[in-house]
Amino acid sequence: MSVFTGSGVAIVTPMHEDTTVNYEKLGEMLEEQIEQGTDSIIICGTTGEASTLSHEEHLETIRYTVERVAGRVPVIAGTGSNSTETAVYLSVEAEKYGADALLLVTPYYNKATQKGLKLHFETTARAVNIPCLLYNVPSRTGCTLLPETTAWLVNNVENIVGIKEASGNFSQIAKLMSLCGDKIELYSGNDDQIVPLLALGGRGVISVLANVAPRQTHEIVASWMEGDTERSKKLQLEAIDLIEALFCEVNPIPVKTALNLMGKEAGPLRAPLCEMEEKNLERLRRAMTEYGILA
């Protein structure tokens, strides 16, 4: 049950000034992403401010995205939660709306044990029939999904087919690939590590960078897959300063700010996220200018 190969954008959720979801702008962003070669849309992830969307908003945003994309590229819905019951509910509903796959983050705050992670992901995945990607991002969740646990899940739950790896721990990622090989679809969750992860057998990236540089992010992966590893490396390194600026404050503050600087009207952030510090804003503006996406 292959999900996608290439660049998947972890798309922002544009908002009106009153912080209600701006579906018109979301539609424009989805069209631009597809036109610029993005290979998959990841909706309602961390970058989409899913943690401050109500369940109703969360599911309506997934429904809208599925209908607007209309099968042109896969739509992966973020439906993870620190509550297994909630993750099951969101996942079942997202499947009903036509999502092609799900992205399931490790439970945050309550920090499950590895045994608990097996139970959580197995229960959630068995509640649906579409492919599921696990999401390992310990810097945000306080919880690490170990290679052995992931391997157990991939080998025992048919529709758990891949993982978004944002741990930055290449020793663990190499161990994971040694345990799973072709049984797992590996995606980078860190834009500054796309090429190294591809070298370990990765299929692509679930990207924040792609919000502002969709064509370039697609080309990093496409060049690698076509065998032009030098071009892939060159594109990766050219983007490093911009990537660092996009993470100089907690995601998605800088990327949503960047889209607004580009005139994309992504709108405000929901509290407790807030506007960037002035020195970081200038750093972001400078990086965008040097990269050529801001005049």
Side-chain angles (χ1 to χ4, degrees):
M1 287 190 284
S2 181
V3 179
F4 77 99
T5 297
S7 170
V9 62
I11 200 162
V12 303
T13 300
M15 295 178 183
H16 297 287
E17 286 306 311
D18 64 358
T19 73
T20 56
V21 177
N22 188 334
Y23 291 104
E24 180 181 356
K25 288 300 173 186
L26 177 58
E28 292 175 9
M29 290 179 179
L30 292 169
E31 294 299 329
E32 182 179 13
Q33 287 291 328
I34 294 170
E35 289 169 8
Q36 291 293 313
T38 292
D39 302 286
S40 181
I41 305 294
I42 294 81
I43 190 71
C44 293
T46 304
T47 312
E49 298 179 78
S51 59
T52 50
L53 296 177
S54 68
H55 290 342
E56 292 77 15
E57 290 173 316
H58 194 137
L59 293 171
E60 177 60 18
T61 303
I62 291 169
R63 184 201 64 77
Y64 177 88
T65 300
V66 169
E67 291 187 2
R68 186 64 182 251
V69 171
R72 288 174 288 174
V73 297
V75 173
I76 302 171
T79 55
S81 173
N82 66 332
S83 161
T84 303
E85 181 180 8
T86 301
V88 168
Y89 166 68
L90 293 173
S91 298
V92 168
E93 293 302 306
E95 182 179 29
K96 289 178 185 176
Y97 287 143
D100 296 289
L102 305 175
L103 182 65
L104 304 173
V105 71
T106 50
Y108 39 86
Y109 186 73
N110 39 16
K111 298 172 66 173
T113 63
Q114 298 301 302
K115 179 180 178 180
L117 290 173
K118 289 179 183 179
L119 174 65
H120 174 80
F121 287 124
E122 182 179 14
T123 301
T124 306
R126 290 195 188 281
V128 297
N129 297 299
I130 54 178
C132 298
L133 302 177
L134 309 179
Y135 180 14
N136 188 32
V137 58
S139 65
R140 294 193 76 121
T141 64
C143 180
T144 298
L145 185 60
L146 294 178
E148 294 80 4
T149 303
T150 304
W152 186 91
L153 288 162
V154 169
N155 284 312
N156 287 277
V157 185
E158 183 180 4
N159 62 328
I160 294 180
V161 301
I163 187 168
K164 175 184 177 182
E165 249 297 343
S167 67
N169 187 330
F170 277 90
S171 295
Q172 283 196 2
I173 296 169
K175 177 67 172 180
L176 171 64
M177 296 307 286
S178 75
L179 293 172
C180 296
D182 292 339
K183 291 182 179 179
I184 193 167
E185 298 174 25
L186 174 66
Y187 300 96
S188 178
N190 294 325
D191 284 308
D192 61 344
Q193 299 175 346
I194 302 170
V195 169
L197 192 131
L198 291 173
L200 288 174
R203 298 283 187 93
V205 61
I206 295 177
S207 172
V208 173
L209 174 66
N211 280 278
V212 297
R215 175 63 64 183
Q216 297 93 322
T217 311
H218 166 82
E219 289 296 329
I220 292 173
V221 182
S223 297
W224 180 276
M225 295 301 177
E226 292 163 5
D228 193 348
T229 56
E230 282 301 312
R231 181 168 185 263
S232 180
K233 180 183 72 174
K234 178 175 181 290
L235 292 170
Q236 169 80 92
L237 295 178
E238 286 175 351
I240 291 298
D241 286 348
L242 176 58
I243 293 165
E244 289 180 348
L246 288 170
F247 288 91
C248 68
E249 290 191 18
V250 67
N251 181 47
I253 293 174
V255 70
K256 210 166 189 184
T257 304
L259 286 165
N260 286 329
L261 290 172
M262 296 170 72
K264 304 294 185 182
E265 299 181 50
L269 298 135
R270 280 193 179 175
L273 300 183
C274 61
E275 293 182 2
M276 293 184 74
E277 298 284 350
E278 188 61 33
K279 65 177 182 178
N280 291 331
L281 176 59
E282 287 307 310
R283 176 184 180 183
L284 176 63
R285 196 191 310 270
R286 184 170 59 252
M288 292 173 67
T289 302
E290 291 174 354
Y291 193 68
I293 60 174
L294 190 65

